[in-house]
Amino acid sequence: MTPPTRDDTSGAGTSSTGTSSTGRTAGSSVRGAHGSVLVLNSGSSSLKYQLVHPVGGEAIASGIVERIGESGPGHVKHTFAGNSTTRESPVADHDAALRLAIGLFDEVGPSLAEADVRAVGHRVVHGGARFGEPVLVTDEVLRQIRDLTPLAPLHNPANATGIEVARELMPDVPHVAVFDTAFFRTLPEAASTYAIDRAVAQQHGVRRYGFHGTSHQYVSGKVARVLGRPLEDLNQIVLHLGNGASASAVRGGEAVETSMGLTPLEGLVMGTRSGDIDPAVVFHLVRNAGMSIDEVDELLNKRSGIKGISGENDFRELHEKIADGDRPAKLALDVYVHRLRKYVGAYAAVLGRVDVISFTAGVGENDDEVRAAVMAGLEGFGFAIDPERNAGRVKEPRVISPDWARTTVMVVPTDEELAIARQALTVAQGR
Ligand code: AMP
């Protein structure tokens, strides 16, 4: 069996004999001792799925249906036993998308019946103040997820639709909602409160919720296991640097600060999102640039971040442009790294003592230049990186700091699907 690593997030090839989209490939049996869990991540126009052995941690099969509800053909890719099968066909809605995915399990394998699916785990972006734990989906839970739509207008309706369709198609399996915000329910009030009129904030749920919680929780827990130290003893900073990016400060396994807020727009510079910005930029653009609120929303979420500055939101392309002498690309990287360093310093102050800093997700796991730049010149804080240990892409948890450094710096590949699968199974077993 392949050891539990995480593959290149660039995605596998699209041929019918491409590589696996995850390194956690399963052995010959699709039926583990504890069955399997189907993890679903329904976006507004995509459906990602993964069938996971929740105990061993292997991905048995995975796939993605893209361009749901869009004109022209949808794109489907299903990966099982190291082979990828792709299809191009119109996908009208999430119902059609899930039927397609289930059809591919029947046709290409593995058979969902043989895989003994014990639970379906659904990624839900916003749990608001209501959900601090994964929950078994009921009609009432589904209604509450939809009620949170004003806080996550792009995500929660798609998540809810995915759940609804999956419950119809797989009625005999328990469905569990796992919330991206849940890990941050422990934020102290000083960290979760925006300094605005208290009555307005309370009436409209305006506070900092945090996102990527499943990843921050998984990585901080994994750090403790890899180092063989009690989680309760560790003060950690986790840097989840993917296309979306967030930082967290975790004391003794509990989140005490995180960079995303009411929505995933706050905080670090991201692939296409601005992160922190003076809120008056919005007023300025509406009053003086003739932009509507929707246009500013689109600007800050889709046309900002490193893409806004350089035209590129993928770090591989960004580095190529920098090597070609492209100045905006260099500026984008400088702004990105500067913001990250500010957060690392701020979270060191929040924690008082930092035992571990870990990098994760697409950029954090693969981009040694970013990791080196974030940590450069911070020896005075006790933070340092060993260039040899840092070199290259990282697929297994690895310490990248020198032995003499006070703080351990690590790369820890995240695995949100496995974390969701395990939480879903725990809830399903506790019914
Ligand atoms: P994620 O959201 O975690 O899937 O991360 C996706 C992002 O990771 C991409 O947009 C790239 O910017 C970045 N990424 C993926 N592979 C690499 C790589 N080999 N080197 C640098 N950045 C990478």
Side-chain angles (χ1 to χ4, degrees), residues 6-11 48 212 240-245 271 306 312-319 336 360-368 370 393 414 416:
R6 200 178 146 87
D7 195 1
D8 173 14
T9 46
S10 63
K48 291 186 203 147
H212 291 151
H240 175 110
L241 311 178
N243 198 29
I306 64 159
E312 237 359 290
N313 71 313
D314 191 299
F315 274 72
R316 288 159 291 195
E317 315 283 339
L318 190 73
H319 287 300
Y336 181 89
T360 194
V363 179
E365 292 164 28
N366 294 306
D367 198 322
D368 49 7
V370 165
R393 296 166 55 196
T414 192
E416 288 167 286

Side-chain angles (χ1 to χ4, degrees), residues 399-420:
V399 172
I400 58 171
S401 48
D403 293 338
W404 53 260
R406 216 166 47 233
T407 297
T408 304
V409 183
M410 299 183 71
V411 182
V412 178
T414 192
D415 200 333
E416 288 167 286
E417 290 80 11
L418 176 59
I420 290 171

